[in-house]
Amino acid sequence: MTLPLTFSPEVAQARASGAAIVALESTIITHGMPFPQNVETARAVENEVRAHGAVPATIAIIGGRIHIGLTSEELDQLGQAQDVAKLSRADLAACLATGGMGATTVAATMICAHLAGIHVFATGGIGGVHRGAETTFDISADLLELAATPVTVVAAGAKAILDLPKTLEVLETHGVTVIAYGQDDFPAFWSRSSGLKAPLRMDHARDIAAAQRLRTALGLPGGQLVANPIPVDAEIASHEITPVIERALHQAEEQGISAKAVTPFLLDRMYEMTEGRSLTSNIALVLNNARLAAAIAREMAAG
Ligand code: PSU
Ligand code: MN
């Protein structure tokens, strides 16, 4: 069976010439940010990757095919579409089978990137262990994907809407390499520090690329989480963000939000309650992650 992969002209050319490529996810576009900032941000992130010597490959499912790299029209279409499916490992193939449109989460983007021979991927935040997981069992499939699929994911850590100590424990249990970039602490998305020490620290893109290469050479499946702290001037102080997080979590519980709906609900509430401030910071940290991912991709391409 030939895989239903469609490469954009830009990505096809990059593959042919052996250029550095950075994968980008699409759930952040459809379920993580409101229109039109979602499409504007997606374009800005792609341009940031290009400006730093790599080719962006935004990944999504359109018409029952995995698109590796979107044209400008496809990006517009996805950013404005209603009721786009949020796809993870569990539902990726089913969406392809039924010819649907879907946005890829971190987990599904890793799977598609790996199929396309792309080893590095930039996003904002990853899914993790939700607070109260000891009763809800809500643990993102992103964590298990990191254990299974050889892609290095650059994120600004995980949001404090999650239980960060438990998230780090699950990553450790599953043997995921977790690297803080340029500092000792594990960052917490809007804050440069979570107050938790990251398992590993690296200061150079070259070392991060070499570690992924060696992991695979050793026969160890899985990837790496590179936790890149938000730029200082975009940070939101923890005393400002903590009460907003508490309120969002309270509303989710009150309204009985569960399963796939939890993360998009919380993100939406955060945007509303911070009057867009959380979005401005979110955009700044994604751009920052795109720059680091481009540097890692260049090291990987150089071998
Ligand atoms: N965290 C964010 N922004 C996001 C997401 C998570 O700060 O946009 C998205 C990503 O696509 C991630 C997904 O892979 O949510 C995780 O969803 P869940 O918690 O349902 O696994
Ligand atoms: Mn979940």
Side-chain angles (χ1 to χ4, degrees):
M1 183 178 190
T2 53
L3 292 172
L5 286 175
T6 297
F7 294 93
S8 68
E10 184 186 18
V11 173
Q13 200 192 344
R15 280 161 56 87
S17 67
I21 305 177
V22 173
L24 300 166
E25 64 153 307
S26 46
T27 295
I28 190 173
I29 301 172
T30 56
H31 294 72
M33 291 185 185
F35 180 81
Q37 289 98 330
N38 60 348
V39 175
E40 287 162 13
T41 303
R43 278 192 221 293
V45 172
E46 289 190 346
N47 285 332
E48 199 73 3
V49 170
R50 292 186 188 104
H52 290 80
V55 170
T58 303
I59 294 177
I61 310 308
I62 302 174
R65 294 187 64 84
I66 300 172
H67 285 249
I68 309 288
L70 300 182
T71 63
S72 185
E73 296 71 40
E74 287 164 346
L75 191 58
D76 270 328
Q77 187 192 354
L78 187 77
Q80 296 185 60
Q82 302 293 316
D83 303 319
V84 179
K86 174 185 163 190
L87 304 175
S88 189
R89 169 175 279 256
D91 29 32
L92 176 61
C95 178
L96 297 172
T98 55
M101 179 185 267
T104 51
T105 58
V106 168
T109 305
M110 290 178 74
I111 294 168
C112 298
H114 179 52
L115 286 172
I118 302 171
H119 314 294
V120 60
F121 155 30
T123 187
I126 61 156
V129 180
H130 282 265
R131 298 198 199 176
E134 60 274 27
T135 49
T136 63
F137 277 46
D138 190 347
I139 301 174
S140 176
D142 291 352
L143 302 183
L144 299 183
E145 204 58 54
L146 279 161
T149 302
V151 173
T152 291
V153 178
V154 182
K159 285 201 169 84
I161 54 176
L162 300 169
D163 186 319
L164 298 183
K166 286 194 184 71
T167 299
L168 287 173
E169 291 291 354
V170 169
L171 287 166
E172 185 192 85
T173 299
H174 291 277
V176 176
T177 306
V178 177
I179 302 162
Y181 181 67
Q183 67 178 29
D184 294 329
D185 280 8
F186 186 71
F189 203 82
W190 289 295
S191 313
R192 288 176 62 82
S193 174
S194 61
L196 303 164
K197 204 168 171 299
L200 297 164
R201 167 186 176 149
M202 286 188 183
D203 293 359
H204 306 288
R206 177 180 308 185
D207 295 341
I208 297 168
Q212 177 69 65
R213 212 166 25 243
L214 280 160
R215 182 176 174 118
T216 301
L218 291 174
L220 301 174
Q224 309 185 112
L225 173 61
V226 177
N228 187 26
I230 185 172
V232 176
D233 56 1
E235 195 176 20
I236 304 182
S238 108
H239 72 268
E240 285 178 65
I241 206 73
T242 303
V244 182
I245 291 170
E246 299 294 342
R247 245 179 296 149
L249 288 166
H250 182 73
Q251 290 174 3
E253 198 181 328
E254 244 176 16
Q255 296 181 39
I257 309 294
S258 68
K260 277 168 175 287
V262 174
T263 298
F265 176 88
L266 293 173
L267 298 182
D268 179 66
R269 295 313 305 146
M270 300 293 297
Y271 294 145
E272 290 294 324
M273 288 191 285
T274 61
E275 290 165 353
R277 171 105 191 275
S278 70
L279 183 56
T280 310
S281 292
N282 198 343
I283 294 168
L285 67 83
V286 182
L287 292 171
N288 190 45
N289 295 341
R291 288 188 283 273
L292 178 56
I296 296 168
R298 281 190 278 114
E299 294 293 347
M300 286 175 169

CSV table of all heavy atoms in Angstrom, one decimal, residues 25 27-28 32 86 104-107 125-127 130 140-142 159 189 260 263 267, ligand 1:
chain,number,residue,atom,x,y,z
A,25,GLU,N,3.0,21.6,13.8
A,25,GLU,CA,1.7,20.9,14.0
A,25,GLU,C,0.5,21.8,13.6
A,25,GLU,O,0.7,23.0,13.4
A,25,GLU,CB,1.5,20.5,15.5
A,25,GLU,CG,1.5,21.6,16.5
A,25,GLU,CD,0.7,21.3,17.7
A,25,GLU,OE1,-0.5,20.9,17.6
A,25,GLU,OE2,1.2,21.6,18.8
A,27,THR,N,-2.9,21.3,15.2
A,27,THR,CA,-3.9,21.5,16.3
A,27,THR,C,-3.8,22.8,16.9
A,27,THR,O,-4.8,23.4,17.3
A,27,THR,CB,-3.8,20.3,17.3
A,27,THR,OG1,-4.1,19.1,16.6
A,27,THR,CG2,-4.8,20.5,18.4
A,28,ILE,N,-2.6,23.3,17.0
A,28,ILE,CA,-2.4,24.7,17.6
A,28,ILE,C,-3.1,25.7,16.7
A,28,ILE,O,-3.6,26.7,17.2
A,28,ILE,CB,-0.8,25.0,17.7
A,28,ILE,CG1,-0.6,26.3,18.5
A,28,ILE,CG2,-0.2,25.1,16.3
A,28,ILE,CD1,0.9,26.5,18.7
A,32,GLY,N,-6.0,25.7,19.1
A,32,GLY,CA,-5.1,26.3,20.1
A,32,GLY,C,-5.2,27.8,20.1
A,32,GLY,O,-4.8,28.5,21.1
A,86,LYS,N,-9.6,16.8,15.9
A,86,LYS,CA,-8.3,16.8,16.5
A,86,LYS,C,-7.7,15.4,16.6
A,86,LYS,O,-8.3,14.5,17.2
A,86,LYS,CB,-8.5,17.4,17.9
A,86,LYS,CG,-7.3,17.4,18.8
A,86,LYS,CD,-7.7,17.9,20.2
A,86,LYS,CE,-6.6,17.5,21.2
A,86,LYS,NZ,-7.0,17.7,22.6
A,104,THR,N,-3.4,17.8,13.3
A,104,THR,CA,-2.5,16.8,14.0
A,104,THR,C,-2.0,17.4,15.3
A,104,THR,O,-1.5,18.6,15.4
A,104,THR,CB,-1.3,16.4,13.2
A,104,THR,OG1,-0.7,17.6,12.6
A,104,THR,CG2,-1.8,15.5,12.0
A,105,THR,N,-2.2,16.7,16.4
A,105,THR,CA,-1.6,17.1,17.7
A,105,THR,C,-0.1,16.8,17.7
A,105,THR,O,0.4,16.3,16.7
A,105,THR,CB,-2.2,16.2,18.8
A,105,THR,OG1,-1.9,14.8,18.5
A,105,THR,CG2,-3.7,16.4,19.0
A,106,VAL,N,0.6,17.0,18.8
A,106,VAL,CA,2.0,16.7,18.9
A,106,VAL,C,2.2,15.2,18.5
A,106,VAL,O,3.1,14.9,17.7
A,106,VAL,CB,2.5,17.0,20.3
A,106,VAL,CG1,3.9,16.4,20.5
A,106,VAL,CG2,2.6,18.5,20.5
A,107,ALA,N,1.4,14.3,19.1
A,107,ALA,CA,1.6,12.9,18.8
A,107,ALA,C,1.4,12.6,17.4
A,107,ALA,O,2.3,11.9,16.8
A,107,ALA,CB,0.6,12.1,19.7
A,125,GLY,N,3.3,24.2,23.3
A,125,GLY,CA,3.4,23.3,24.5
A,125,GLY,C,2.9,21.9,24.2
A,125,GLY,O,2.2,21.7,23.2
A,126,ILE,N,3.4,20.9,24.9
A,126,ILE,CA,2.9,19.6,24.7
A,126,ILE,C,1.8,19.2,25.7
A,126,ILE,O,1.6,19.9,26.7
A,126,ILE,CB,4.1,18.5,24.9
A,126,ILE,CG1,4.6,18.6,26.3
A,126,ILE,CG2,5.2,18.8,23.8
A,126,ILE,CD1,5.3,17.3,26.7
A,127,GLY,N,1.1,18.2,25.3
A,127,GLY,CA,0.1,17.7,26.3
A,127,GLY,C,0.8,17.0,27.4
A,127,GLY,O,2.0,16.6,27.2
A,130,HIS,N,-2.8,15.6,33.3
A,130,HIS,CA,-3.7,16.6,33.8
A,130,HIS,C,-3.7,16.5,35.3
A,130,HIS,O,-3.5,15.5,35.9
A,130,HIS,CB,-5.1,16.5,33.2
A,130,HIS,CG,-5.1,17.1,31.8
A,130,HIS,ND1,-5.5,18.3,31.5
A,130,HIS,CD2,-4.7,16.6,30.6
A,130,HIS,CE1,-5.4,18.6,30.3
A,130,HIS,NE2,-4.9,17.5,29.7
A,140,SER,N,-2.0,12.8,28.4
A,140,SER,CA,-1.9,13.0,26.9
A,140,SER,C,-1.2,11.9,26.2
A,140,SER,O,-0.1,11.4,26.7
A,140,SER,CB,-1.3,14.3,26.6
A,140,SER,OG,-1.2,14.5,25.2
A,141,ALA,N,-1.7,11.5,25.1
A,141,ALA,CA,-1.0,10.5,24.2
A,141,ALA,C,0.4,11.1,23.7
A,141,ALA,O,1.2,10.3,23.2
A,141,ALA,CB,-1.9,10.1,23.1
A,142,ASP,N,0.5,12.4,23.8
A,142,ASP,CA,1.8,13.0,23.4
A,142,ASP,C,3.0,12.4,24.2
A,142,ASP,O,4.1,12.2,23.6
A,142,ASP,CB,1.8,14.5,23.7
A,142,ASP,CG,0.9,15.3,22.8
A,142,ASP,OD1,0.3,14.8,21.9
A,142,ASP,OD2,0.7,16.5,23.1
A,159,LYS,N,2.2,23.5,29.9
A,159,LYS,CA,1.4,24.6,30.7
A,159,LYS,C,1.2,24.1,32.1
A,159,LYS,O,0.9,23.0,32.4
A,159,LYS,CB,0.1,24.8,30.0
A,159,LYS,CG,0.2,25.6,28.7
A,159,LYS,CD,-1.1,26.2,28.4
A,159,LYS,CE,-1.0,27.2,27.3
A,159,LYS,NZ,-1.0,26.6,25.9
A,189,PHE,N,5.9,27.0,30.1
A,189,PHE,CA,5.2,27.7,29.1
A,189,PHE,C,5.2,29.2,29.3
A,189,PHE,O,6.1,29.8,28.8
A,189,PHE,CB,3.7,27.1,29.0
A,189,PHE,CG,3.1,27.4,27.7
A,189,PHE,CD1,3.3,26.6,26.6
A,189,PHE,CD2,2.2,28.5,27.5
A,189,PHE,CE1,2.7,26.8,25.3
A,189,PHE,CE2,1.6,28.7,26.3
A,189,PHE,CZ,1.9,27.9,25.2
A,260,LYS,N,-10.8,14.6,24.8
A,260,LYS,CA,-10.1,15.5,23.9
A,260,LYS,C,-10.5,17.0,24.1
A,260,LYS,O,-9.7,17.9,23.6
A,260,LYS,CB,-10.6,15.2,22.5
A,260,LYS,CG,-9.9,14.1,21.8
A,260,LYS,CD,-10.8,13.8,20.6
A,260,LYS,CE,-10.2,12.8,19.7
A,260,LYS,NZ,-9.0,13.2,18.9
A,263,THR,N,-8.1,20.1,26.8
A,263,THR,CA,-7.0,21.0,26.5
A,263,THR,C,-7.5,22.2,25.7
A,263,THR,O,-7.3,23.4,26.1
A,263,THR,CB,-5.8,20.3,25.9
A,263,THR,OG1,-5.3,19.3,26.8
A,263,THR,CG2,-4.7,21.3,25.5
A,267,LEU,N,-7.4,26.2,27.0
A,267,LEU,CA,-6.7,27.2,26.3
A,267,LEU,C,-7.6,28.4,25.9
A,267,LEU,O,-7.2,29.5,26.1
A,267,LEU,CB,-6.1,26.6,25.0
A,267,LEU,CG,-5.1,25.5,25.1
A,267,LEU,CD1,-4.6,25.0,23.7
A,267,LEU,CD2,-3.9,25.9,26.0
B,1,PSU,N1,-0.8,22.6,24.8
B,1,PSU,C1,-0.7,23.9,24.4
B,1,PSU,N2,-1.1,24.3,23.2
B,1,PSU,C2,-1.7,23.4,22.3
B,1,PSU,C3,-1.8,22.0,22.7
B,1,PSU,C4,-1.3,21.7,24.0
B,1,PSU,O1,-0.2,24.7,25.2
B,1,PSU,O2,-2.1,23.8,21.2
B,1,PSU,C5,-2.4,21.0,21.8
B,1,PSU,C6,-1.2,20.2,21.1
B,1,PSU,O3,-1.7,19.9,19.7
B,1,PSU,C7,-1.1,19.0,21.9
B,1,PSU,C8,-2.6,18.7,22.2
B,1,PSU,O4,-0.5,17.9,21.2
B,1,PSU,O5,-3.1,20.0,22.5
B,1,PSU,C9,-2.7,17.8,23.5
B,1,PSU,O6,-4.0,17.5,23.6
B,1,PSU,P1,-4.4,16.4,24.8
B,1,PSU,O7,-4.1,17.1,26.1
B,1,PSU,O8,-5.9,16.2,24.5
B,1,PSU,O9,-3.6,15.2,24.5
